[in-house]
């Protein structure tokens, strides 16, 4: 995927672009705000990582222009927090996420992955419900009753599959294909691991994952029994 | 607190009272003098009249002086019933013709030739006022001056003086009291702008550093001007401090980010075991430094914001949800169950959203770093007139003995573990600033260790 990194601190820019390049992304690195804004006018990116304090044009200005031009590219803002305090919150200006410096590089990568995935996954807007488990695909959130539970990406996918057809039994192979794809090596034990985690996270819900011996898993709502 | 000197009112009243007392004393003294003069004049005239009547009764027959005391002479003097009367008639040859011959024997009588003379003298140990009149006898044999002395004790005239003076005294005292009361009222009234100014300053929003715009009497305007001057300076200071925090945040955070960025670029595979250990240490310390710097700056910001930020109504659940999302890292261990639970109703508190979020972020962050093993629950709920944000984890918790310590700055329950211990201090300070509090609930078999942030609900919600 193509990423535009706008960061004027050399050490930071170098590390970010190197890290993303090693995971197979193409990174264009700009240090000047005005130049970055111009590039964004005629080049499509899958993700923009934007520092706030920049020479030329600051990050907030770039973001504002981007959204004025109806460019919906996901933007991750990097900031020293006080800049957010003093001005309108980056999220209000149309950023999709922000990270406060100094940040953990694994956190940056993880969040960037979320944004890239959202970009490629298209906009699913419906809510799936089973028992008192509610899965909102728009903002990828899961509620158990009033409780909002945080799920990891694969747990979310697993729940999505099971909850899309409550009561139906999915075999391990079916789940493996959908959760990991063909190119990612994962054994059947991985499914057991994720099911275990998901069960733990859904504890106390009026729906549970039932193991159907020899066949696979199904999500059963207590309400229907 | 400045030492309280005596009030302006008190000082003014004391001074006015002093002036009035001096005035009253002068007036009363004057009244006494006048009363005495008036009494002397009135009673001396009676003495003179009596003496002249006696003098008129002198007759010269055959070269001898005869005396015929007219009773009417003493009638007028008899008006003072308690006073005694003494008289002496002196012949031209200096002999006492009749009366008390020891009355004013040493007095020089000659001045009476030109008119009546009065003198005060003690006679038989009683103060006496004596009137002397003289008459020239033209008979050849007895030629010369005859004198009549009439003395009267002074009780009546003293009484008269006392009475007049007392009346004057009463009037002066009443006038002084009226003047003092009037002055006190006038001072109270005149000092009202001072109290109003004080009230206005007290009622003022602590964040409002704009100059006072209030009409005050001319005497107070230098005071108001200096207050305004002071406020301008304070405002400037606050702004400077804000700038400083913002600048230092940026200045410190940027190189820290660069440092951890560079460290992250080192290929660990190519390192020897010991070098890798050192690198781990550097990473840990850089992370610690970053975390600590973040807390320090947030702490400065939070404390500072309560001096400058306007408090407004906030939805606690919304703030807590944002804090929850910000505090739980995406890279968290997948086996950890983290959940958030909000109340059915909207809970509104008065506060500063950023500080409140920072407080909750710090509690959650602390719990994730030091408490949570596999489970972290964040709940927002209502209890009476309070909104509670509860952060519960399945960790060992903090022993009750340390509860009072961990909310202090730079105190950590685990020494040397790298936690700076500012997290609870920030949360506690925010809670206190919003008139709430931070408390802990011990671990029970059913429930984990819980940190409770308690905030009073906005007045509109409690009513």
């Amino acid at each position: 995927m193509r990423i535009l990194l706008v960061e004027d601190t050399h050490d930071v820019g170098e590390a970010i672009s190197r890290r993303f390049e090693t995971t197979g992304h193409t990174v264009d690195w700009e240090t000047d705000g005005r130049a970055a804004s111009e590039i964004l006018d005629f080049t499509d990116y899958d993700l923009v990582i934007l520092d706030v304090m920049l020479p030329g044009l600051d990050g907030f200005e770039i973001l504002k222009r981007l959204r004025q031009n109806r460019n919906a590219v996901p933007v991750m803002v990097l900031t020293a927090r006080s800049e957010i305090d003093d001005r309108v919150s980056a999220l209000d200006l149309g950023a999709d996420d922000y990270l406060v410096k100094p940040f953990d590089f694994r956190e940056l990568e993880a969040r960037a992955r979320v944004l890239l995935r959202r970009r490629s996954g298209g906009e699913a807007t419906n809510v799936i419900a089973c028992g008192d488990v509610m899965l909102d695909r728009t903002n990828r959130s899961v509620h158990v009753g009033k409780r909002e539970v945080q799920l990891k990406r694969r747990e979310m996918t697993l729940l999505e599959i099971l909850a899309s057809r409550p009561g139906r039994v999915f075999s391990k192979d079916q789940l493996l294909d959908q959760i990991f794809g063909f190119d990612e090596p994962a054994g059947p034990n991985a499914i057991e691991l994720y099911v275990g985690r998901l069960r733990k996270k859904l504890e106390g819900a009026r729906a549970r994952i039932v193991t159907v011996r020899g066949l696979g898993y199904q999500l059963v709502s207590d309400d229907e029994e | 607190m400045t030492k309280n000197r005596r009030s302006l009112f008190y000082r003014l009243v004391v001074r006015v009272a002093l002036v009035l007392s001096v005035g009253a004393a002068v007036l009363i003294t004057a009244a006494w003098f006048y009363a005495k003069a008036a009494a002397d004049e009135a009673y001396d005239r009676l003495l003179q009249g009596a003496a002249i009547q006696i003098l008129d009764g002198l007759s010269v027959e055959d070269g001898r002086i005869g005396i015929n005391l007219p009773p009417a002479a003493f009638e007028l003097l008899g008006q003072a019933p308690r006073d005694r009367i003494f008289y002496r008639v002196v012949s031209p040859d200096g002999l006492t013709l009749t009366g008390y011959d020891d009355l004013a024997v040493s007095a020089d009588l000659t001045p009476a030739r030109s008119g009546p003379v009065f003198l005060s003298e003690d006679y038989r140990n009683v103060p006496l006022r004596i009137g002397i009149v003289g008459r020239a006898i033209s008979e050849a044999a007895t030629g010369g001056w005859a004198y009549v002395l009439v003395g009267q004790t002074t009780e009546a005239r003293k009484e008269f003086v006392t009475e007049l003076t007392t009346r004057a005294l009463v009037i002066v005292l009443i006038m002084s009291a009226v003047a003092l009361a009037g002055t006190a009222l006038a001072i109270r009234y005149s000092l009202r702008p001072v109290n109003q100014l004080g009230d206005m300053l007290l009622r003022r929003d602590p964040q409002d550093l704009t100059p006072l715009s209030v009409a005050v009497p001319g005497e107070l305007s230098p005071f108001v001007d200096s207050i305004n001057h002071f406020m301008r300076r304070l405002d400037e200071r606050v702004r400077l401090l804000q700038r400083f925090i913002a600048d230092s945040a940026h200045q410190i955070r940027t190189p820290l980010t660069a440092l951890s960025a560079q460290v992250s670029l080192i290929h660990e595979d190519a390192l020897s075991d010991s070098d890798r250990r050192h690198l781990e240490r550097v990473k840990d310390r850089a992370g610690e430094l970053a975390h600590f710097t973040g807390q320090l700056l947030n702490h400065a910001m939070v404390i500072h914001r309560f001096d400058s930020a306007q408090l407004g109504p906030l939805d606690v659940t919304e703030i807590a949800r944002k804090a929850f999302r910000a505090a739980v890292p995406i890279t968290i261990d997948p086996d950890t169950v983290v959940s958030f639970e909000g109340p059915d109703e909207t809970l509104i508190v008065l506060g500063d959203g950023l500080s409140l979020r920072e407080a909750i972020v710090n509690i959650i962050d602390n719990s994730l770093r030091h408490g949570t093993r596999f489970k972290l629950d964040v709940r927002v709920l209502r209890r009476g007139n309070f909104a509670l944000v509860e952060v519960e984890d399945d960790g060992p918790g903090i022993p009750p003995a340390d509860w009072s310590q961990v909310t202090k700055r730079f105190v950590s329950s685990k020494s040397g573990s790298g936690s700076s211990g500012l997290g609870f201090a920030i949360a506690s300070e925010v809670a206190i600033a919003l008139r709430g509090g931070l408390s802990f609930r011990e671990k029970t078999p059913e429930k984990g260790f819980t940190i409770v942030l308690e905030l009073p609900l906005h007045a509109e919600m409690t009513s």
Side-chain angles (χ1 to χ4, degrees), chain B residues 253-434:
Chain B
R253 280 177 167 142
T254 301
L256 261 179
T257 315
L259 175 68
S260 59
Q262 288 303 308
V263 170
S264 80
L265 286 180
I266 297 173
H267 283 293
E268 290 187 43
D269 303 343
L271 296 178
S272 70
D273 273 356
S274 75
D275 280 350
R276 203 174 304 150
R277 263 207 318 281
H278 292 313
L279 182 64
E280 276 314 309
R281 283 269 190 82
V282 171
K283 272 186 183 168
D284 285 352
R285 290 293 176 199
E288 218 172 85
L289 184 60
H291 181 244
F292 175 63
T293 309
Q295 279 199 329
L296 209 60
L297 288 170
N298 287 346
H299 187 245
M301 177 200 76
V302 161
I303 288 178
H304 180 66
R305 274 184 84 83
F306 283 112
D307 297 335
S308 56
Q310 205 74 254
L311 299 187
L314 302 172
D315 179 351
V316 188
T317 317
E318 199 45 43
I319 304 270
R321 198 190 303 274
K322 278 186 184 160
F324 175 72
R325 295 210 170 121
V328 178
I330 211 163
T331 50
I332 190 173
D333 177 357
D335 282 327
T336 307
V337 183
V338 289
S339 67
F340 180 89
E341 189 179 333
D344 294 324
E345 53 184 332
T346 313
L347 301 181
I348 304 291
V349 300
L350 216 55
D352 164 51
L354 208 94
S355 309
L356 185 54
R357 197 191 68 195
E358 212 48 61
I360 302 172
V361 163
N362 274 289
I363 298 172
I364 299 176
D365 181 66
N366 205 81
S367 180
L368 282 174
R369 277 169 193 272
H370 308 296
T372 307
R373 287 194 190 128
F374 302 111
K375 195 163 173 294
L376 173 85
D377 284 326
V378 179
R379 278 184 301 272
V380 179
L381 53 137
R382 176 178 185 163
R383 193 172 66 200
N385 287 338
F386 285 88
L388 305 187
V389 180
E390 297 188 345
V391 179
E392 179 188 332
D393 64 54
D394 56 349
I398 303 167
D402 292 343
W403 287 357
S404 60
Q405 284 296 309
V406 292
T407 53
K408 291 179 185 149
R409 287 175 216 172
F410 304 113
V411 178
S412 170
S413 55
K414 283 185 273 172
S415 56
S417 68
S419 64
S420 61
L422 261 180
F424 282 143
I426 293 174
S428 166
E429 272 163 43
V430 170
I432 288 164
L434 301 182

Side-chain angles (χ1 to χ4, degrees), chain B residues 7-68:
Chain B
S7 80
L8 217 51
F9 174 77
Y10 180 83
R11 290 151 72 107
L12 280 169
V13 165
V14 164
R15 277 159 181 73
V16 168
L18 273 175
V19 169
L20 283 174
S21 319
V22 169
V26 168
L27 279 178
I28 288 165
T29 314
W32 180 76
F33 268 111
Y34 283 124
K36 197 165 156 36
D40 277 347
E41 202 184 324
Y43 282 88
D44 284 355
R45 203 158 284 160
L46 291 180
L47 280 180
Q48 185 190 345
I52 287 173
Q53 275 183 325
I54 295 171
L55 205 59
D56 283 346
L58 284 187
S59 55
V60 182
E61 277 170 29
D62 314 326
R64 283 182 48 149
I65 295 176
I67 184 143
N68 176 28

Side-chain angles (χ1 to χ4, degrees), chain A residues 85 101 107 110 148 152 197, chain B residues 253 301 330 334-335 340:
Chain A
D85 307 344
K101 284 181 180 179
E107 182 80 15
E148 182 186 328
K152 296 277 161 189
R197 279 180 185 164
Chain B
R253 280 177 167 142
M301 177 200 76
I330 211 163
D335 282 327
F340 180 89

